[in-house]
Amino acid sequence: MKLPRYFQTRSVGGAVLMTLVCVNTVLLAVFGCIDYYGERQRLEDELRYDLRVVAEQLSANLAEPLWFLESGNLARLLDGAMKNDRLAAVVIYEADGGEFLAGRSRDRSWRASTVTSRPGLDNVIMESRPVYFGDALVGVAEIQMTRRYMDAAL
């Protein structure tokens, strides 16, 4: 059996070069995937940490306005929290029955807007915190942060 002319003239150097190119490409792809998933995990951990910090701050600051039923101060606190673009929603419920008290969420243009029920947002992580005034449980704060900016950074 006679081999075609192409296979007869191929050099060892060309085969070694093609092998090196293929191995290098596979290694770069593997290291790229490892780096992507590591960076994604780092950004997810950072987002969860920021969510915990915001939840702790809001649960501490919402106690007085909820106890004294100061809707003006409550609205200002919620509006101030929504200055953070990564916050998707902040909703406050009564402690006992879970009845809706107040909330802010993002509309389609990503502007903060008042809501009257739990927002149905996707691609968010959520944290709930009880709100205490002294020893009395006065409400529950539910905070949602979006992964929108994390995905854009990747």
Side-chain angles (χ1 to χ4, degrees):
M1 172 177 216
K2 198 168 191 188
L3 293 173
R5 180 163 173 76
Y6 170 75
F7 290 112
Q8 292 175 352
T9 60
R10 191 167 61 164
S11 67
V12 174
V16 170
L17 181 64
M18 286 304 293
T19 303
L20 285 175
V21 167
C22 291
V23 168
N24 200 13
T25 302
V26 168
L27 283 175
L28 285 174
V30 167
F31 286 127
C33 289
I34 290 170
D35 184 53
Y36 172 81
Y37 287 112
E39 185 68 13
R40 181 178 175 160
Q41 185 64 41
R42 186 189 68 76
L43 289 173
E44 181 86 19
D45 291 345
E46 182 180 309
L47 189 67
R48 288 191 184 279
Y49 175 78
D50 290 346
L51 178 61
R52 280 194 304 273
V53 168
V54 169
E56 288 295 326
Q57 289 174 345
L58 278 176
S59 67
N61 292 330
L62 290 170
E64 269 189 43
L66 287 176
W67 180 259
F68 294 112
L69 300 175
E70 298 171 343
S71 59
N73 286 342
L74 184 62
R76 280 192 292 281
L77 279 171
L78 294 177
D79 289 337
M82 293 302 286
K83 300 277 187 205
N84 183 347
D85 284 337
R86 293 192 299 178
L87 273 181
V90 178
V91 183
I92 312 299
Y93 299 100
E94 283 186 359
D96 50 3
E99 186 177 321
F100 180 85
L101 290 175
R104 299 288 185 274
S105 182
R106 301 284 180 184
D107 60 11
R108 293 188 191 275
S109 302
W110 208 248
R111 291 185 308 253
S113 61
T114 304
V115 293
T116 57
S117 65
R118 174 177 282 152
L121 301 172
D122 52 342
N123 201 22
V124 296
I125 56 175
M126 184 178 67
E127 183 93 18
S128 292
R129 287 279 198 262
V131 179
Y132 288 98
F133 184 78
D135 291 335
L137 181 63
V138 293
V140 176
E142 183 178 285
I143 297 95
Q144 297 179 6
M145 264 193 178
T146 183
R147 290 185 176 105
R148 173 184 185 175
Y149 297 107
M150 183 187 84
D151 293 340
L154 291 174

